[in-house]
Amino acid sequence: MRQWRARVFDRLEHWLEAEREQLFLWLPVMLGGGISLWFVLPDRQAWAGALFVAGALAAGALAMDRGARASRVTAMAALAVAGGLAMIWSKAESVAAPVLGRPAIVRFEARVERIEPLPARDLYRLRLAPLRLLDQGDARRPAALPPHIRVNLTAADMPAGLGRQAVIRLGARLMPPPGPSVPGAYDFARVAWFGAIGATGRGFGPVEVIAPGMRDSGGLRTRLAAHIQRHLPGGAGGIATALATGDQGAIPIDDAEAMRRAGLAHLLSVSGLHITAVVGGVMVLLLRLLALSPWLALHLPLRLIAAGAAAVAAIGYTLLTGAEVPTVRSCVAALLVLVALAIGREAVTLRLVATGAVIVLLFWPEALVGPSFQLSFAAVAAIIALHEQPRVKAWFAAREEGRGRAVLRGLASLLLTGILVEAALSPIALFHFHKAGLYGAIANIVAIPLTTFVVMPIEGLALVLDPIGLAWPFWWLLERSLMLLLWIAHRVGEAPGAVATLPTMGGGAFGLIVLGGLWLGLWRTRWRALGLLPLTTGAIMAARVASPDLLVTGDGRHIGVRAADGGIAMLRDRAGDYTRAMLAENGGVDGEPSLLADQRNARCSADLCLVDRVAAGRRWRILATRSAYRMPAAELIAACRGADIVISERWLPRRCVPRWLKLDRPVLARTGGVAITLATGTVTTVARPGDAHPWRAPPLIEVNRSGGAIRRASPGRVPGADHNAGDHKRGWPDRAGSSPPRGGNI
């Protein structure tokens, strides 16, 4: 036994020795593992226990054999996991701020912290710091609102020339930051917590400017966006603005959706492609200009000077575009590349990507669970890992050959890279957005060179030559090239089978896919093939996810029922665009939901809808209320007895007892949104028992309906807010009782 253990240990040592150049690449992975562990584990006891286990593992590994590489690697991995968990825990505590307890209509004074134009929606998004709350008598009192709130204003209500740091007086309908409406939907409550946003809503006029703010009305970024849109209206101007400033608010909804469906949405987010174009353009142009002087070429380090100028351009472009996580990551990577070029080292490596990931996680650990971080790093890591492979290097290395063969070799490289990038990004897109474009590899063969070598240089020339009146030909060329890009996006996005959909990918399946992909991409020896096991297992688990038959939002107002044609049928015909898209995506449907009242198996009145759904050889009868009008209690109770599932946004009488499941207001307040698969009897709820993440039970501030008297509530669950996707239960209790309302009608 001892000899077997010694052989295993020796093989492990030899393997780690062979992979010693790759070990650093696992540092951000271990940091990310600790961050993920904090999001997965429910409460402080579990987080503290995980820290203790990681620390004990590190100490035990070091104590076993101080000279062994395996011991050192194990200890460093455990410490990195503990460090990641501690970082995100500390960040979550440091941004703690009270949250609005319940919806309220208020009038208040606030200081403007940020202005984000959304021209495509005719809106402005303001981040405000409330100063004073005004009651019905307009008497001033100290601010009894969260320290920071986010409000949308229509363009008609937006005061002209409003700038940052201005003090304004306005009214708004505010609500707590909402959690996921149904399992797997977007969790704004988590995002708002780390952004210190305690309430969100829509403002209304009149909006009075009490004290003017900064005269630049948003700075260079806003003025540059407005300048571009004056020359290029519509979708072309929106995309040109996104490429120059990172602001996607001017892109029409149809064009943005087409870019996503075609797998070209990454072109709109300022990241590696755009930073590379800026850095490369500045460096090449400056080198050529400086090399025109023989004296400069002989006496000065032109490469170092050009690299320094490119670094300044990269930093300036990052600040101009808002310094979002992908842009910061790309800027850090570009700076590292420039340093490597300046000192004569190999520039583009996975070590550079790993360094960028570590820097981002140190400052923004919460970014790990967002799609932006995952998509950005997955794409770059996949590309570099592919082209670092010796066989791939040999295939696409420069050689003496004809122009035709060189072009074909370049196209083959682009196609192979596109296929790999799509394979790496599709699981992330399916996990977060429930859909992924399938033809992106083909579309990117044209779109990436078009954007990099045509669109961005022309846009740069147009902006540079505009002050001297020579830019009009370049604006025309820019519009034509962007229209071509949009044409490609629409044609590819509308092609049959262009989009794959998945209702909800479980966290376990997604974790296995990510682990398998990292194992395949980061190791170099034959043991990397072991990554196929978790990768395949996760893919099979994801593919076997059954589409839910019934989706119910946490407020009970909206439900989606699986229609006979496989689509989603909605209860209410006046649902907003977000609700319609959310129910369709989480139902695994690519397209618009239909109306439940139009289904052949449904019978609907103004107050009730009764629909039959056949699953696993059994007929299920679903009853849902449609209005807030009173109904005779006896009739409703009789209808409940004939239904298997009853859903309502209101309190239902205790004697309303369906055959299987009752989801009324008090039940949904505990469960949040619900997804039901009838064939297996599986009920998935948004709420997860014992979840103590800070945005689930934040300190509350409550304002009465008149906006006057206030009170500070003790920490607790935000009324009406949802929780993370959680429980999977079979055989939900047959009766979920609730307190009956007073009187005989409801």
Side-chain angles (χ1 to χ4, degrees), residues 164-250:
R164 291 182 294 112
Q165 300 304 313
V167 177
I168 61 175
R169 179 182 299 168
L170 74 162
R173 186 186 186 278
L174 300 177
M175 61 181 295
S181 297
V182 296
Y186 179 60
D187 189 357
F188 180 68
R190 184 193 70 217
V191 176
W193 177 265
F194 286 102
I197 298 174
T200 183
R202 183 176 288 272
F204 50 82
V207 179
E208 305 173 47
V209 179
I210 307 301
M214 299 174 63
R215 295 178 59 86
D216 62 0
S217 185
L220 176 62
R221 189 185 187 198
T222 300
R223 289 186 280 116
L224 181 60
H227 180 76
I228 293 172
Q229 290 159 34
R230 280 196 299 270
H231 286 85
L232 299 176
I239 293 179
T241 300
L243 295 176
T245 68
D247 182 4
Q248 301 182 29

Side-chain angles (χ1 to χ4, degrees), residues 348-420:
V348 182
T349 66
L350 283 175
R351 282 178 167 262
L352 179 147
V353 179
T355 302
V358 170
I359 293 173
V360 171
L361 292 178
L362 287 176
F363 289 96
W364 301 282
E366 70 278 7
L368 177 77
V369 297
S372 178
F373 178 95
Q374 295 172 11
L375 291 168
S376 178
F377 278 95
V380 175
I383 292 171
I384 296 177
L386 172 68
H387 290 275
E388 279 189 351
Q389 293 301 311
R391 186 172 298 178
V392 175
K393 277 186 176 181
W395 285 346
F396 300 116
R399 62 193 68 185
E400 293 292 334
E401 59 184 354
R403 183 177 297 274
R405 291 180 62 88
V407 170
L408 288 177
R409 190 180 300 278
L411 291 176
S413 175
L414 277 175
L415 179 60
L416 179 61
T417 302
I419 292 173
L420 179 66

Side-chain angles (χ1 to χ4, degrees), residues 490-527:
H490 281 280
R491 296 290 80 78
V492 173
E494 294 168 2
V499 175
T501 60
L502 188 71
T504 300
M505 183 190 297
F510 182 63
L512 287 173
I513 292 173
V514 171
L515 176 61
L518 289 170
W519 194 273
L520 280 171
L522 300 187
W523 294 130
R524 289 291 174 266
T525 60
R526 61 180 182 175
W527 293 102

Side-chain angles (χ1 to χ4, degrees), residues 385-727:
L386 172 68
H387 290 275
E388 279 189 351
Q389 293 301 311
R391 186 172 298 178
V392 175
K393 277 186 176 181
W395 285 346
F396 300 116
R399 62 193 68 185
E400 293 292 334
E401 59 184 354
R403 183 177 297 274
R405 291 180 62 88
V407 170
L408 288 177
R409 190 180 300 278
L411 291 176
S413 175
L414 277 175
L415 179 60
L416 179 61
T417 302
I419 292 173
L420 179 66
V421 169
E422 288 300 314
L425 300 188
S426 292
I428 302 173
L430 289 171
F431 180 74
H432 289 284
F433 310 120
H434 311 289
K435 61 173 63 177
L438 297 181
Y439 303 152
I442 300 174
N444 277 293
I445 291 179
V446 179
I448 290 179
L450 176 64
T451 304
T452 307
F453 302 115
V454 178
V455 172
M456 293 193 69
I458 292 176
E459 184 170 3
L461 288 171
L463 292 173
V464 169
L465 297 176
D466 209 35
I468 58 176
L470 299 178
W472 64 266
F474 297 99
W475 286 120
W476 184 86
L477 289 172
L478 180 60
E479 184 177 17
R480 299 280 80 77
S481 60
L482 288 172
M483 293 305 294
L484 174 60
L485 179 63
L486 283 172
W487 181 85
I488 294 171
H490 281 280
R491 296 290 80 78
V492 173
E494 294 168 2
V499 175
T501 60
L502 188 71
T504 300
M505 183 190 297
F510 182 63
L512 287 173
I513 292 173
V514 171
L515 176 61
L518 289 170
W519 194 273
L520 280 171
L522 300 187
W523 294 130
R524 289 291 174 266
T525 60
R526 61 180 182 175
W527 293 102
R528 64 187 301 191
L530 290 176
L532 292 173
L533 180 60
L535 182 63
T536 305
T537 303
I540 293 174
M541 291 171 60
R544 295 187 63 183
V545 173
S547 298
D549 296 284
L550 181 62
L551 292 168
V552 183
T553 59
D555 58 7
R557 286 186 51 81
H558 302 285
I559 71 170
V561 180
R562 185 69 54 186
D565 61 358
I568 288 291
M570 292 185 59
L571 175 67
R572 300 177 187 272
D573 56 354
R574 292 189 177 181
D577 292 339
Y578 172 77
T579 300
R580 298 172 67 86
M582 179 270 299
L583 288 177
E585 291 172 1
N586 286 273
V589 174
D590 179 30
E592 279 288 310
S594 57
L595 292 179
L596 191 57
D598 296 337
Q599 304 301 308
R600 297 179 58 184
N601 59 336
R603 301 187 300 279
C604 295
S605 67
D607 301 311
L608 291 173
C609 234
L610 188 66
V611 59
D612 292 331
R613 169 76 180 155
V614 177
R618 175 185 169 182
R619 183 178 297 275
W620 297 80
R621 177 156 291 183
I622 303 166
L623 177 68
T625 62
R626 300 184 74 192
S627 75
Y629 291 103
R630 294 178 179 270
M631 294 179 55
E635 294 181 13
L636 181 59
I637 290 169
C640 290
R641 291 173 181 168
D644 297 288
I645 302 172
V646 177
I647 304 163
S648 179
E649 62 180 309
R650 300 180 282 162
W651 293 71
L652 293 178
R654 187 180 299 276
R655 289 181 296 167
C656 173
V657 181
R659 290 191 287 260
W660 185 49
L661 181 62
K662 177 179 176 181
L663 297 173
D664 64 349
R665 183 175 180 180
V667 175
L668 291 170
R670 296 194 302 269
T671 66
V674 175
I676 301 173
T677 305
L678 297 175
T680 58
T682 302
V683 178
T684 307
T685 63
V686 167
R688 186 173 63 176
D691 188 354
H693 287 92
W695 57 91
R696 303 304 175 206
L700 304 181
I701 286 181
E702 299 207 9
V703 183
N704 70 9
R705 295 187 183 275
S706 67
I710 58 95
R711 66 184 177 86
R712 293 183 179 272
S714 58
R717 182 178 181 274
V718 178
D722 295 325
H723 296 268
N724 260 342
D727 298 343

Side-chain angles (χ1 to χ4, degrees), residues 60-71:
L62 291 176
M64 284 174 49
D65 190 343
R66 295 179 182 273
R69 186 183 296 273
S71 299

